[in-house]
Amino acid sequence: MELKDKKILVVGLAKTGVAVTRFLAERGALVTVTDMRDDEALADVLAELSDLDLCLELGRHVPYSFLMADLIVVSPGVPMDIKPLEMARAQKRRVVSEVELASWFIEAPMVAITGTNGKTTTTTLTGEIFKGCGFDTFVGGNIGNPLIELAMSGERVERVVVELSSFQLEGVESFRPHVAVLLNLTEDHLDRYHSFQEYIDAKLRIFENQGPEDFAVLNIDDPLVAACASKLKARLFPMSRFHELEEGISYRDGFITFAHDGKVLRFGTDGFKLKGVHNLDNIMASMASTLLMRCDGDCAYATVKDFKGLPHRMEFVEEVNGVAYYEDSKGTNVGSVVKSLESFDSGITLIAGGKDKGGSYEPLAQLVSQRVSHLVLIGEARERMHQALGDLTDTHFADTLEEAVETARTLTQPGGVVLFSPACSSFDMFKNYEERAERFKAAVRAAKEAEKK
């Protein structure tokens, strides 16, 4: 699409909106920016854009601007069903996400990764494998840098790896990755979506424009994901921890097997630094994506063996008085916490809670009953979590994260585990999950110092 002199409206001025605004303005578009926050709240952001000639509509959305735009680009944090956007679509205005816009200007083959849990680990590892095998690679999307930054840079890369949230996928039209990965589907973001099915439908848009020469990597151990296979236009490439596959990637008895078009590669998992059953899924998805896109098997395997994982996802913090403390602040939904609890057999003190996201906590019930010795609840969601889980184990409330850590310290016996995996977002008590993670780590280290005295 030619951008020069086009009237383009950017909705939302978070990190992605800022990048989109600069990209469009530098290509000669007539850019209007709208955000429900006022200029005082956006002072830092506006300073970043002060060198650009923009029309700013802050503290409100002006319907006229939506109806007169040649193109509307929506930031991920803005719901697609707000009234001005519905009015614009009714008048046949073109409404897209940043990912869609960026894809118009990127030619390199792309791996796109979505799912409720594991996206960031899988995306990062996939990028590391490509780089380790000698491909110039951009990694971004919902992780790190917006995809539009690659388009803006003009950099010529050989591979693109992009993590995609359901929010980003809502606004795609022609976006087409060569390999699209769906890791899992569990209830999430029901504070934004009207139903779980609406959330699933957004995720499935990752496959919408693929053709028979593309690949869809599906985790068929997840029944909701497996059910998507019949709807694909791309070539199915299944993955499984529970079934040996003649075509696909699977795990059995300590080995990952990649089988494709008569070629079979086997990789032992004993030397992997990335632990946890859920990470086997992430590793298999990364290996499938990269091996399907011409990475050498030995090179990919060497990269996987050296990969240690990401901060804030099942990260070991300290051992205090014989108790291991794990920080899992990125465990912001129930499905993620299920995977984390499955990593330990018993003796868990689970610290959970935060801002409720509207889903059911029932999928945690069996694991809490069988493996969690003590449950410490914090945040806005604690009463609702207590109703669902409180009768299944010894349960306590804490008003702060620091109090929760201290409660866990007094309850947990040597040999046990304290796991901070909230199953909720952080926005009731913290700026983001990173701040929440650092507060937990600081509290654990303070507890360790207290034990020394």
Side-chain angles (χ1 to χ4, degrees):
M1 179 181 180
E2 175 58 49
L3 300 177
K4 186 173 174 57
D5 296 328
K6 290 291 193 300
K7 292 181 289 185
I8 302 180
L9 179 67
V10 178
V11 187
L13 261 183
K15 181 178 181 179
T16 297
V18 169
V20 167
T21 299
R22 181 165 294 281
F23 174 79
L24 295 170
E26 290 180 353
R27 277 149 186 78
L30 307 176
V31 183
T32 298
V33 176
T34 181
D35 195 295
M36 291 303 291
R37 294 170 292 175
D38 61 22
D39 51 0
E40 183 177 350
L42 290 167
D44 292 343
V45 171
L46 296 176
E48 294 182 51
L49 300 173
S50 60
D51 60 316
L52 302 178
D53 183 15
L54 305 172
C55 177
L56 301 176
E57 295 176 354
L58 305 178
R60 70 199 192 285
H61 291 321
V62 179
Y64 178 83
S65 298
F66 285 76
L67 296 175
M68 297 305 294
D70 296 313
L71 177 69
I72 301 172
V73 184
V74 185
S75 296
V78 179
M80 282 287 189
D81 61 356
I82 62 172
K83 189 172 181 179
L85 287 174
E86 289 184 338
M87 292 169 55
R89 282 191 291 267
Q91 294 300 314
K92 307 301 182 184
R93 300 295 94 184
R94 196 174 185 184
V95 179
V96 301
S97 65
E98 167 264 340
V99 167
E100 173 67 22
L101 173 68
S103 71
W104 301 343
F105 301 91
I106 294 172
E107 296 181 357
M110 184 182 299
V111 176
I113 297 162
T114 197
T116 306
N117 300 301
K119 296 187 297 296
T120 302
T121 297
T122 304
T123 301
T124 304
L125 178 55
T126 301
E128 289 299 306
I129 294 172
F130 278 133
K131 293 173 187 176
C133 293
F135 292 97
D136 290 333
T137 304
F138 175 88
V139 180
N142 197 48
I143 171 180
N145 300 319
L147 190 59
I148 197 68
E149 291 191 1
L150 174 59
M152 184 159 45
S153 73
E155 181 183 358
R156 304 289 292 183
V157 298
E158 298 170 291
R159 296 289 186 270
V160 175
V161 186
V162 58
E163 174 187 325
L164 295 177
S165 70
S166 57
F167 301 166
Q168 291 167 309
L169 286 164
E170 289 172 27
V172 300
E173 287 181 350
S174 60
F175 175 79
R176 180 181 176 177
H178 180 51
V179 175
V181 179
L182 181 57
L183 295 167
N184 44 61
L185 289 167
T186 59
E187 285 189 345
D188 199 11
H189 299 301
L190 296 188
D191 50 347
R192 170 152 165 168
Y193 293 102
H194 299 114
S195 68
F196 185 26
Q197 187 59 53
E198 189 176 287
Y199 167 72
I200 292 173
D201 291 343
K203 289 287 192 187
L204 295 185
R205 298 198 69 184
I206 196 170
F207 305 115
E208 194 166 277
N209 299 300
Q210 288 190 297
E213 62 271 39
D214 300 315
F215 292 94
V217 177
L218 298 188
N219 177 8
I220 61 169
D221 295 338
D222 184 318
L224 291 174
V225 173
C228 304
S230 61
K231 305 172 186 176
L232 298 174
K233 291 175 282 185
R235 182 171 175 178
L236 171 64
F237 196 81
M239 55 178 268
S240 176
R241 278 189 285 119
F242 304 136
H243 306 283
E244 288 187 88
L245 302 173
E246 292 186 5
E247 174 80 9
I249 192 164
S250 54
Y251 171 81
R252 183 164 183 174
D253 298 332
F255 284 87
I256 290 172
T257 301
F258 172 88
H260 176 53
D261 285 350
K263 179 181 180 180
V264 178
L265 302 174
R266 298 187 78 221
F267 308 97
T269 62
D270 280 350
F272 289 177
K273 294 182 173 67
L274 193 61
K275 303 298 184 183
V277 292
H278 60 289
N279 279 320
L280 278 173
D281 292 340
N282 301 333
I283 290 167
M284 287 194 295
S286 295
M287 295 190 78
S289 300
T290 52
L291 293 173
L292 288 169
M293 291 180 65
R294 296 179 37 226
C295 278
D296 173 75
D298 290 341
C299 175
Y301 184 47
T303 304
V304 171
K305 286 197 293 184
D306 286 340
F307 187 69
K308 297 179 181 178
L310 301 176
H312 317 316
R313 190 70 179 99
M314 288 297 290
E315 182 180 2
F316 175 72
V317 181
E318 296 277 0
E319 183 173 302
V320 181
N321 194 27
V323 174
Y325 286 74
Y326 286 85
E327 178 265 299
D328 189 39
S329 187
K330 271 184 71 72
T332 59
N333 58 67
V334 169
S336 179
V337 180
V338 166
K339 300 289 188 183
S340 300
L341 289 174
E342 286 176 344
S343 299
F344 307 101
D345 292 331
S346 61
I348 304 170
T349 297
L350 174 64
I351 301 174
K355 182 174 173 57
D356 190 85
K357 297 172 79 174
S360 170
Y361 295 109
E362 286 304 314
L364 292 171
Q366 184 174 358
L367 284 165
V368 168
S369 177
Q370 293 175 349
R371 306 190 187 196
V372 175
S373 301
H374 311 283
L375 179 63
V376 184
L377 299 174
I378 62 172
E380 290 179 4
R382 65 183 187 176
E383 291 289 350
R384 187 162 170 260
M385 296 184 84
H386 183 263
Q387 290 175 10
L389 306 170
D391 292 340
L392 302 176
T393 191
D394 176 48
T395 302
H396 302 258
F397 285 155
D399 292 327
T400 67
L401 185 51
E402 289 76 12
E403 181 185 336
V405 170
E406 177 59 23
T407 300
R409 185 181 71 84
T410 61
L411 292 171
T412 312
Q413 298 298 309
V417 168
V418 174
L419 171 64
F420 176 45
S421 193
C424 300
S425 72
S426 59
F427 302 124
D428 57 338
M429 299 168 69
F430 306 96
K431 182 171 67 175
N432 49 41
Y433 74 82
E434 292 97 340
E435 182 192 25
R436 177 169 67 180
E438 294 307 319
R439 286 274 293 276
F440 175 76
K441 291 178 185 178
V444 172
R445 288 165 185 149
K448 186 169 185 175
E449 289 301 315
E451 288 285 343
K452 293 178 181 178
K453 295 177 181 178

